[in-house]
Amino acid sequence: MRQDVQVRESNKGCWHKFSQGIRCLWATRHTEEIKDNQELHIKTTLRELVVYIVFLVILCIGTFGMTSSTMYYYTKVMSELFLDSQFPETKNTFRGMTTMHDFWRVAESPLVDGLYWETWYNDRNVSSDELGYIFYENKLLGVPRVRQLKVRNDSCVVHDDFKENIKACYDTYASSIEDKNPFGLINGSAWSYSSEDELDGSSHWGYITTYGGGGFYQDLALNKADSLALIADLKQNLWLDRGTRVVFVDFTVYNANINLFCVIRLVVEFPATGGAIPSWNFRTVKLIRYVSASDYFVMACECIFVLYVIYYIIEETLEVKRHKLGYFKSFWNILDIIVLMIAVCCIGFNVYRTVAVADMLDTLLDSPNEYADFEFLSYWQVVFNSALAIMVFFAWIKVFKYISFNKTMTQLSSTLARCAKDLAGFAVMFFIIFLAFAQLGYLIFGTQVKDFSSFDDAVFTLFRIILGDFNFHELEQANRVLGPAYFILYVFFVFFVLLNMFLAIINDTYSEVKEEISNQKNEFEMGDYFKQGYNKMLDKLNLKRDKIVDIQKALQTADINNDDRLDFDEWRQELKTRGYAEAEIEAVFAKYDIDGDRVLDKTEQRKMQADLEGQKAKLSKEYDQLENKGDAKGSRVSFDSDENTDEEDESHGTKSSSRGGSNRNVVNGVSYEEFTVLSRRVDRMEHSIGSIVSKIDAVLVKLEAMEKAKSKRRETMSKILDSITEADGTTDEVKRHQMEHLVREELERWDSESSIGHSAGGGGSAQSAGSLARLK
């Protein structure tokens, strides 16, 4: 039975250790009871910080590994080619176009010249394999597409006074008034409307409004001559007219040298006011993610990142399960959830993009003469990159969660929390005045100054004035009286008054918080913790070195009969006198008793001596390193097979003092004699406490027996009284015999009880007999 119990306890211990190990993986300050355990608080915080730093490093490698300065230069080269190339006639560029005629000038010269590089700089034609490359390096994927959106003639209402003179009216673009009727030649996609679903397109947010993904489109050709013919046909048949509100030029190039796509969209908006407003969008993205060795290293980091996300999801789930709704009261917990949600979305898009790009490239290779629409993927790739950037930002901010144990690190959060109410009241006052100035500026200067052309622009302009970025001369030219007055009043009230009030609130609160924190003690001193660990490591090295010295001396003195053979009894007797436990003695001896004959011969003794010298030299070296450099890295060097710690040494009765030949050397201020006396006193104290406890147990047993005897006497007396009551009709002789019989039975039963209750039972019998005699 004892063996079964030991096996069950062993199994339980193994399972307990395994479950504890699994639990430690997700042990945080929110899942463990650390209020009354300072050391556990420190260890948990350090573990969380180390794990999170590794996560942060993996995240940074994964994000920065897929971007580089090459992307900027790629965008710069392509934008300068298509935006800064001049027209042949006016020397204008795409950036400066102002009329519908300028669009055709761009299409006929800078656009086609930039798209089709069919000759070298010496006018030699490129080979067939070199066709379709921009700058001879960037492959044009598919063919470019030109698309426009129009509005109907009746999309707005002409005033009655002008109806006779103005017959046509074209409003600003809106999907409800979009013109979808065929026009012009009515014999192709350029003259017939195609819906957004048919083109698999997407909407575009322009300067004036948001445009749909459908429209009238014309795909250009693979060479310059055919494309010029198509453009000339569109121009000759008046493809652009008064109803045109926007024209898009879309194409995609790929550079295999740097494995980057550049998805380009040139936009020309034609507002209802007339004229042309150019804009552009260059998206340089890495859609094919894994090509080089460095890319595969980044992929490995991304896989580790996925494991970290799963790890933190489990961790946050455990915290929510433990704290319920209280979990969401912490700002850091909300930040954790935001980071995890962004991470999960990014992981999902990463998988989707990899699959979608492979399918699109397969389709493109099968149909090289068709338009390659990478607009949707490039847009969401940019969103993906932005989400990663936000996640990295929040991840760095979250570092404050793990270093907030220091009072200096809490000054920022404490200051903001303390002055939150004051700032809220100040914000109401500030935005009342600020929005009043924004509306005033928009209404006064909106028609003449670009920075005040819309209410949103006016708000941003006023924020820029606070930072010193303003153009006073534009305000003065717009209104010579109200311009300077507006500027002076705004600078006085907002810059000199409100902004300084804001700084005063922050400054005063910070001074109060700093004064309070200076009088407080840290939640725990991390420096003291490391210092304590350093001292423990030094003590451990001293202890290990002293053990080795004891073993070496035992080898020299244990051979009592001087036969150069050290048997186990001699070894045991020597180490017993030095205070070692049986387990340690047996472990050391068995380690070097190779043949198992319970005797150490010369060879085995020399091997033990050599090992001890090597371990002693290694410990001395580590000790010197700790002393000189303060390096807290300890070595778990031990002469026994257990390699136990200080606590395990104490549990086996190991000495913690150093002893020389006279046993007078002192380690940590405690001599061997003092340690021996203290051990004996502890043994005597344990023996005394054990005898006292046993006597208390005996007294408790006697008291329990007395209580039982009393209860039995009560039962017996009640039975006798009941018998007397029932025998009222019998004679005295019969009554006397019945009484004697009951009393004798009761006495015999009490006599058969244990010796502890016998005396109490005898007293009870005599008392009962006297009572019966009196009854007679």
Side-chain angles (χ1 to χ4, degrees), residues 572-580 655 659 663 672:
R572 179 178 178 277
Q573 183 64 29
E574 180 65 23
L575 289 186
K576 268 290 186 181
T577 58
R578 296 177 181 273
Y580 287 92
K655 293 187 310 176
R659 300 171 298 284
N663 291 334
Y672 175 62

Side-chain angles (χ1 to χ4, degrees), residues 590-630:
K591 182 177 181 180
Y592 294 97
D593 184 16
I594 300 174
D595 52 9
D597 58 354
R598 307 293 286 177
V599 175
L600 298 179
D601 55 20
K602 286 186 177 181
T603 303
E604 293 170 339
Q605 292 181 39
R606 282 197 298 269
K607 187 177 185 304
M608 179 185 290
Q609 186 69 29
D611 289 349
L612 293 174
E613 286 295 337
Q615 293 185 13
K616 183 178 178 181
K618 188 175 181 180
L619 286 172
S620 298
K621 182 178 179 181
E622 292 184 5
Y623 184 84
D624 293 339
Q625 290 177 351
L626 288 173
E627 284 287 342
N628 297 331
K629 301 180 181 179

Side-chain angles (χ1 to χ4, degrees), residues 327-471:
Y327 170 87
F328 299 97
K329 295 180 180 179
S330 173
F331 166 77
W332 299 114
N333 294 336
I334 301 298
L335 190 62
D336 290 338
I337 293 177
I338 293 175
V339 171
L340 289 177
M341 290 176 63
I342 296 176
V344 171
C345 293
C346 290
I347 292 171
F349 176 77
N350 202 12
V351 175
Y352 165 76
R353 183 213 37 245
T354 303
V355 176
V357 170
D359 294 340
M360 289 188 65
L361 292 179
D362 292 339
T363 304
L364 178 63
L365 294 175
D366 295 336
S367 304
N369 297 329
E370 295 182 0
Y371 167 68
D373 187 6
F374 284 87
E375 174 67 23
F376 178 80
L377 270 182
S378 64
Y379 171 78
W380 284 107
Q381 178 64 36
V382 171
V383 173
F384 170 79
N385 294 338
S386 302
L388 280 180
I390 295 173
M391 182 172 63
V392 172
F393 172 78
F394 284 151
W396 276 104
I397 295 299
K398 189 182 168 184
V399 174
F400 284 104
K401 174 182 178 180
Y402 300 106
I403 63 175
S404 59
F405 53 79
N406 188 276
K407 59 185 180 183
T408 305
M409 300 298 177
T410 61
Q411 290 186 6
L412 175 62
S413 58
S414 300
T415 301
L416 295 178
R418 180 73 63 84
C419 66
K421 293 183 179 179
D422 294 334
L423 289 180
F426 169 80
V428 174
M429 177 176 58
F430 174 81
F431 280 107
I432 289 175
I433 297 177
F434 185 84
L435 294 176
F437 272 102
Q439 294 183 25
L440 178 62
Y442 170 60
L443 295 174
I444 294 177
F445 311 111
T447 59
Q448 302 178 61
V449 181
K450 181 179 184 300
D451 291 338
F452 289 89
S453 58
S454 66
F455 182 74
D456 296 339
D457 291 336
V459 170
F460 290 121
T461 301
L462 294 184
F463 275 117
R464 288 166 50 198
I465 292 177
I466 293 178
L467 300 177
D469 180 15
F470 57 87
N471 192 337

